[in-house]
Amino acid sequence: MARSHAWGWTIRPGLPSLTLVLLGWAASGQAEAFGRWESKLQDCVLVHGLVGLPLQAQRQSCGRLRLEQNLEGLLTVRLITPSGGQRFGSQNLVFGGALAPGQKPMRCSPYGHCKPRWPIRLDVATVATSLAREESLAPTIPLARLAKGSCLLERRSLQCQARDQEGQFWEAKARL
């Protein structure tokens, strides 16, 4: 039998615990722990290559930085550049991981607009890329890899680096 409450909600048997958990989660502020922040970049350089073969490294520039926080404590650093010669689309290099110990998550509004708390140190666990290959102007299909590395984002600069077990490395440096 359904019960009606002062708020005008009807709770069915078996659902009260789920309803209370969701209401408690929303009231605790956890519903506001996600969102993103974006900024233009200056002097941005992306490097991708193989360890030990720096002459084969591919260098590209990028134009925007997007920080995405889908769960408190987890962060992705997305470097975006328009696809070469294409009207729509973009190329991306994404470093994903957990905030280093002692780091605070971004402050996010209920609408998903966030403000970083500088500096941000990230322990990188994955790298995803859809950067165009040299012989092609079109970006590749996004490719994600397990990797180890770090990012340091400060109010005016960013530095990220990571490498995987197969010897590939990725670096990004930019001014905000």
Side-chain angles (χ1 to χ4, degrees):
M1 179 159 107
R3 290 182 285 172
S4 184
H5 290 276
W7 304 296
W9 298 346
T10 302
I11 300 177
R12 296 196 171 114
L15 291 180
S17 59
L18 176 60
T19 303
L20 292 174
V21 166
L22 292 174
L23 287 173
W25 179 68
S28 72
Q30 294 298 315
E32 298 173 13
F34 64 92
R36 69 183 188 182
W37 176 84
E38 195 166 317
S39 177
K40 274 187 161 180
L41 293 174
Q42 300 173 13
D43 302 326
C44 178
V45 177
L46 309 178
V47 179
H48 174 221
L50 291 171
V51 174
L53 300 173
L55 296 178
Q56 292 184 355
Q58 178 184 352
R59 301 176 74 87
Q60 291 191 303
S61 62
C62 54
R64 297 197 68 74
L65 167 67
R66 182 180 299 154
L67 302 179
E68 298 169 332
Q69 178 176 279
N70 293 322
L71 288 173
E72 192 172 290
L74 299 180
L75 192 70
T76 59
V77 176
R78 182 179 306 267
L79 298 136
I80 305 165
T81 188
S83 291
Q86 293 185 1
R87 186 172 178 164
F88 299 104
S90 62
Q91 300 174 56
N92 295 271
L93 177 59
V94 182
F95 296 90
L99 293 174
Q103 297 294 292
K104 295 182 180 177
M106 292 194 297
R107 290 183 303 250
C108 299
S109 75
Y111 306 105
H113 303 289
C114 299
K115 290 184 180 181
R117 297 180 190 185
W118 309 109
I120 299 171
R121 287 181 172 73
L122 182 70
D123 293 329
V124 175
T126 61
V127 173
T129 182
S130 64
L131 297 177
R133 299 187 197 276
E134 288 181 43
E135 64 273 6
S136 167
L137 292 179
T140 62
I141 294 173
L143 177 65
R145 296 179 173 270
L146 293 176
K148 283 192 172 199
S150 63
C151 286
L152 173 59
L153 295 98
E154 297 178 301
R155 192 174 303 279
R156 300 274 179 225
S157 65
L158 84 86
Q159 281 186 256
C160 292
Q161 57 78 31
R163 65 174 56 176
D164 69 8
Q165 288 184 337
E166 296 170 5
Q168 291 196 60
F169 71 89
W170 298 266
E171 291 180 3
K173 293 183 181 181
R175 286 189 308 126
L176 281 70

